[in-house]
Amino acid sequence: MAKVQSPVDLPTWRERVAASAPSLADALAACTQHGIDDASYRDVLDQLVMLGCDVQTQASALWFALAQADPEAWTARVQAVPEDIRRLVEGQQAAEKVWALHAQRAAGGGSEGLRRLLLAIIRDLRVVFVLLARQLARMRGAATLPEAERQELARLTRDIHAPLANRLGIWQLKWELEDLAFRYLQPDVYKRIARLLDERRADREGFIRESLDELGRALAAAGIKAELAGRPKHIYSIWKKMQRKDLEFDELYDIRAVRVLVDNVADCYAALGVVHALWPHLPREFDDYLARPKGNGYRSLHTAVIGPRGKTLEVQIRTHEMHRANELGVAAHWRYKEGGAGDAEFEAKIAWMRKLLDGRGEDEGALAADLKTELLEDRVYLLTPKGEVFDLPHGATVLDFAYHVHTEVGHRCRGAKVNGRIVPLTFQPSSGDRVEILTAKLAEPSRDWLSPHHGYLATNRAKEKVRTWFRRSALEANLAAGRAMFERELKRLALPDADIARLPAHFHLNTHDDLLVALALGEISPGQVSRVLQEAAQPTPEVTQSSSPVASRHSVLDHSALTIEGVGNLLTTLARCCQPLPGDAVRGYVTKGRGVSVHRADCPSLARLVRRDPDRVIEVTWGRASAQAYEVDVELHGYDRKGLQKDVAGVISNASVSIIASSSRLFTRSGEVEMRFTLRVRDFEQLSALLDRLAALPNIVDARRIGGG
């Protein structure tokens, strides 16, 4: 029977807690001031102390008790609470989302997803210790709850808390949580097994003592230093084994079990020899996890023997180091017990929490730094409207989510809602968001979804599904779509006479038609084609910044930027009438006083100069590659709306492109707008990507480079 607390106990306990640290004392004082019953947190604090949790974690449990009992009091005090403790309280509040989701899914299926979601939405993983401690406290007092509430609490414990305690290696909490949940979910079975254990407890404990004494003497006689202990079996684990092996209680040999801890591997096998020499062993019940460790790294020797009085006995033998690793290390035996494979990010979080548990004497600041550097999210955990959990790579869009749910859902996707709000298909949701996909009757993926510049898809899995859909379409349709994309790219980059003969070979394709199909399927981007066209002439040149004003409409080049036939070290400028870029076919014109003016070969202005004075024309080619920039004019056509110019400027800025000059013209009668920008770009590929993003803006009809004048 539990000890009845005397009136003197409570102040003593409060004094001990208050003396632990100022942060804990402040939280306790706030709870006392607002009349919060200590029963709501005393057991929780005791468990957190047992786990070795820091005072900030303990204080957060008190503040959360206040926040639950008196939200207004918490709101009034929250700004005075230190940020790290406030974050722990917010994590406990965030966990309520998972509890609500679990309540919606009374069947309890798919709880692994909820456990992963829990760890994803909690930013400080110390919160998990508070959740486990509080759940144990609630389960201990669950007998007084209404039946429906008690059942839901037990299911939540079975599905979420007990598995997490198991994975963390907090066996004391794990066994008690499992047994309490089992007691309320299957009371008849629980009572039957408990009665069988109680009836034979004295006999079993006497048998274990006798076995330990006998084995201890045999090991000492063999000169083996060992630590021996009985291994308790809990009601839930007994029932699980009865179910798994289809055995009755009397047929379980490992109800009686001992563990032997030695100093090294050689002593493990030596101790095994002593055990088998002392008692006959059961051949089918021997496992050597030292020679063949479990896939998760679990190591131990397991054997079963016929011990004293002719009764079966299970013996586990391992080193002290193996025991620490198995019980609290990263490679705990939860996976082979439960089955299923976790992901690397989930494992990293479990490993960090194990380190926190095992490193009670280590610097807490260093562990906090580990959390920030090692556990950056690389997955997001998203919910369907029915509460199912899907995890995707960080940066995935709602369209990626649609394809992750089902290929047909992705093909038919036309929109999405996140937490009830309509968002674009490029929207990147965060962990815990509820995503609803809006679908059409017919499957009609867009080729724009495959363009990396548009940002519709981030995962290769989804992109491949879209490509597969288009591959199944008619060849002529793919050719037509690819040809349209190719011609549009040449037109908007003002490259109508580009040499395209070398393109297929560069991409390891046989024909130009193969290139067009690859473009249509998104296997090659328009930007890649632009870059190859640029490189086809010469590598990108090295250009110096123009020292003359933009108004002069000339860019001065370093002599290394261009190779001039028969002449060296001449002043060279890019003609602003046609704005040649690296990769354009170019010709030079010797001016009076301004050196060589470089034009695109198809520039109309150059044609007029050639007709007037053909002797001044010289051959030039691009020189070596450059990391510098070139000025280019871009023209946009569309329909006016509020914020249009701001959006255009934002896209240009986000592309790391500088605006040298800009102008716009509004046609009030039609509502059309024309915008021109002089930009400084690195090369064709950057320009192509920018034009893609500009053309995707609402109300923009066309975005292209301005050709010759």
Side-chain angles (χ1 to χ4, degrees):
M1 181 179 295
K3 177 186 176 184
V4 178
Q5 180 178 298
S6 70
V8 181
D9 289 335
L10 185 56
T12 303
W13 179 82
R14 286 184 179 275
E15 290 170 5
R16 175 177 62 78
V17 172
S20 300
S23 58
L24 205 53
D26 291 343
L28 182 61
C31 288
T32 303
Q33 179 182 343
H34 291 277
I36 310 301
D37 183 6
D38 78 294
S40 64
Y41 53 74
R42 179 169 180 174
D43 196 9
V44 176
L45 289 189
D46 287 342
Q47 294 300 324
L48 293 176
V49 170
M50 182 272 293
L51 292 174
C53 294
D54 56 30
V55 293
Q56 288 81 12
T57 306
Q58 297 175 49
S60 75
L62 292 172
W63 284 117
F64 181 76
L66 175 64
Q68 274 197 315
D70 194 340
E72 292 183 3
W74 165 248
T75 302
R77 291 174 173 268
V78 64
Q79 295 304 320
V81 176
E83 182 181 355
D84 58 338
I85 297 178
R86 196 161 62 238
R87 186 171 63 247
L88 290 164
V89 176
E90 291 168 352
Q92 295 171 63
Q93 293 171 327
E96 298 297 320
K97 293 182 180 180
V98 176
W99 310 158
L101 284 168
H102 185 272
Q104 291 176 16
R105 299 159 64 183
S111 297
E112 175 67 13
L114 292 180
R115 291 194 288 270
R116 293 173 185 273
L117 175 63
L118 176 66
L119 295 192
I121 63 177
I122 292 175
R123 312 317 302 175
D124 191 321
L125 297 176
R126 291 175 294 175
V127 170
V128 175
F129 305 142
V130 185
L131 299 179
L132 293 176
R134 184 184 305 111
Q135 194 72 1
L136 179 57
R138 294 179 68 195
M139 288 297 292
R140 285 174 173 174
T144 61
L145 295 176
E147 177 64 20
E149 188 175 342
R150 184 166 62 242
Q151 287 282 315
E152 174 54 34
L153 186 65
R155 282 193 293 269
L156 181 64
T157 303
R158 177 197 63 193
D159 296 340
I160 305 295
H161 297 83
L164 282 178
N166 184 29
R167 297 182 184 198
L168 289 171
I170 312 173
W171 307 125
Q172 183 173 338
L173 266 63
K174 179 241 188 203
W175 294 125
E176 191 171 356
L177 286 169
E178 286 183 340
D179 279 1
L180 287 170
F182 184 49
R183 173 185 176 185
Y184 295 128
L185 291 173
Q186 299 190 55
D188 293 339
V189 180
Y190 177 90
K191 290 175 183 177
R192 180 170 65 86
I193 297 176
R195 186 171 58 254
L196 290 170
L197 285 172
D198 284 340
E199 288 173 356
R200 306 169 192 183
R201 184 181 304 277
D203 179 65
R204 185 172 62 256
E205 291 176 351
F207 172 79
I208 292 295
R209 284 194 301 271
E210 182 180 342
S211 300
L212 291 176
D213 290 343
E214 191 172 338
L215 179 57
R217 288 192 297 270
L219 290 170
I224 300 173
K225 181 181 177 182
E227 179 182 327
L228 283 73
R231 192 169 70 87
K233 300 296 290 186
H234 295 264
I235 294 175
Y236 181 73
S237 67
I238 291 171
W239 177 78
K240 288 274 286 186
K241 180 158 286 189
M242 290 169 62
Q243 295 296 111
R244 188 170 63 250
K245 295 194 173 186
D246 193 24
L247 298 174
E248 290 300 321
F249 182 85
D250 291 335
E251 298 176 282
L252 295 177
Y253 67 84
D254 60 349
I255 294 296
R256 299 168 292 271
V258 298
R259 178 174 291 144
V260 179
L261 301 182
V262 295
D263 293 333
N264 52 58
V265 174
D267 285 348
C268 287
Y269 288 105
L272 177 67
V274 171
V275 171
H276 285 176
L278 182 63
W279 299 308
H281 76 278
L282 305 176
R284 294 185 181 181
E285 301 295 343
F286 172 69
D287 291 296
D288 186 349
Y289 297 128
L290 300 188
R292 297 181 303 279
K294 289 285 185 179
N296 57 17
Y298 176 86
R299 303 183 70 200
S300 185
L301 293 174
H302 292 189
T303 189
V305 298
I306 300 175
R309 309 180 201 171
K311 295 181 178 181
T312 56
L313 175 70
E314 182 191 54
V315 183
Q316 293 183 357
I317 306 171
R318 64 184 67 154
T319 67
H320 295 278
E321 183 181 352
M322 291 174 193
H323 182 62
R324 285 191 296 270
N326 292 342
E327 297 295 304
L328 286 175
V330 177
H333 65 283
W334 64 267
R335 181 171 296 169
Y336 78 80
K337 284 283 189 182
E338 296 181 4
D343 58 57
E345 178 68 10
F346 187 78
E347 293 304 317
K349 291 188 172 184
I350 294 295
W352 187 87
M353 285 191 283
R354 286 180 171 279
K355 184 177 180 183
L356 188 62
L357 278 172
D358 203 28
R360 296 173 186 175
E362 297 183 13
D363 177 41
E364 292 173 2
L367 288 177
D370 285 345
L371 175 63
K372 292 179 180 178
T373 57
E374 294 178 11
L375 302 183
L376 295 176
E377 288 289 349
D378 66 356
R379 308 289 293 181
V380 290
Y381 295 82
L382 308 175
L383 302 166
T384 68
K386 294 183 179 180
E388 296 174 281
V389 181
F390 289 93
D391 61 294
L392 284 85
H394 182 74
T397 65
V398 291
L399 186 56
D400 284 302
F401 176 80
Y403 275 104
H404 195 81
V405 172
H406 195 278
T407 302
E408 192 63 22
V409 173
H411 289 339
R412 295 167 52 206
C413 178
R414 292 297 174 268
K417 289 183 180 180
V418 174
N419 301 327
R421 181 173 58 89
I422 292 180
V423 298
L425 294 182
T426 55
F427 184 81
Q428 298 178 4
S430 303
S431 286
D433 285 346
R434 191 184 293 264
V435 182
E436 178 184 356
I437 301 300
L438 309 177
T439 58
K441 291 183 178 180
L442 298 177
E444 291 181 316
S446 168
R447 294 186 189 275
D448 287 342
W449 294 357
L450 293 170
S451 170
H453 304 321
H454 290 153
Y456 285 107
L457 294 172
T459 63
N460 291 328
R461 174 183 175 183
K463 291 176 184 176
E464 188 55 37
K465 288 182 178 182
V466 177
R467 292 190 188 106
T468 300
W469 192 90
F470 282 112
R471 284 192 191 101
R472 291 172 181 168
S473 302
L475 176 62
E476 288 301 319
N478 286 327
L479 282 173
R483 186 175 294 108
M485 294 170 66
F486 185 75
E487 291 174 354
R488 181 183 63 186
E489 186 72 4
L490 295 183
K491 180 179 178 181
R492 69 178 183 175
L493 293 177
L495 293 171
D497 300 321
D499 180 13
I500 62 174
R502 297 168 57 186
L503 283 175
H506 180 87
F507 291 107
H508 305 289
L509 300 170
N510 296 324
T511 66
H512 186 64
D513 282 355
D514 292 340
L515 176 71
L516 298 181
V517 171
L519 264 175
L521 296 177
E523 295 169 353
I524 297 173
S525 70
Q528 288 175 291
V529 172
S530 300
R531 188 184 68 230
V532 175
L533 289 175
Q534 169 188 335
E535 294 171 349
Q538 289 288 341
T540 309
E542 185 172 328
V543 183
T544 60
Q545 301 292 333
S546 172
S547 59
S548 59
V550 173
S552 69
R553 301 192 64 76
H554 286 278
S555 294
V556 181
L557 276 70
D558 177 60
H559 70 274
S560 64
L562 291 158
T563 301
I564 302 175
E565 188 178 90
V567 185
N569 296 331
L570 284 180
L571 176 65
T572 310
T573 59
L574 294 177
R576 291 305 302 252
C577 56
C578 57
Q579 296 180 310
L581 282 176
D584 285 336
V586 290
R587 300 182 75 185
Y589 184 82
V590 181
T591 66
K592 295 178 180 179
R594 289 187 290 107
V596 177
S597 177
V598 179
H599 296 253
R600 285 168 48 190
D602 59 352
C603 175
S605 296
L606 176 63
R608 289 193 292 271
L609 292 172
V610 170
R611 286 195 298 269
R612 189 170 62 196
D613 197 346
D615 293 338
R616 290 178 175 270
V617 178
I618 61 175
E619 296 301 319
V620 296
T621 57
W622 294 107
R624 65 175 182 267
S626 169
Q628 300 189 36
Y630 300 86
E631 292 178 14
V632 61
D633 286 335
V634 170
E635 187 173 84
L636 279 66
H637 292 273
Y639 291 92
D640 192 33
R641 63 172 171 81
K642 185 177 179 180
L644 179 60
Q645 290 202 9
K646 179 183 177 182
D647 291 347
V648 170
V651 169
I652 295 173
S653 175
N654 290 337
S656 301
V657 173
S658 300
I659 300 176
I660 306 302
S662 66
S663 64
S664 63
R665 182 182 178 188
L666 174 64
F667 300 91
T668 54
R669 179 170 297 180
S670 63
E672 293 180 73
V673 64
E674 176 185 283
M675 289 180 278
R676 291 195 175 195
F677 294 89
T678 301
L679 307 175
R680 196 180 297 278
V681 299
R682 183 176 62 252
D683 52 28
F684 271 145
E685 189 169 14
Q686 186 183 34
L687 177 60
S688 174
L690 174 62
L691 292 176
D692 266 340
R693 295 189 183 103
L694 290 172
L697 285 172
N699 285 37
I700 294 297
V701 176
D702 184 41
R704 60 187 176 86
R705 174 189 178 193
I706 301 176

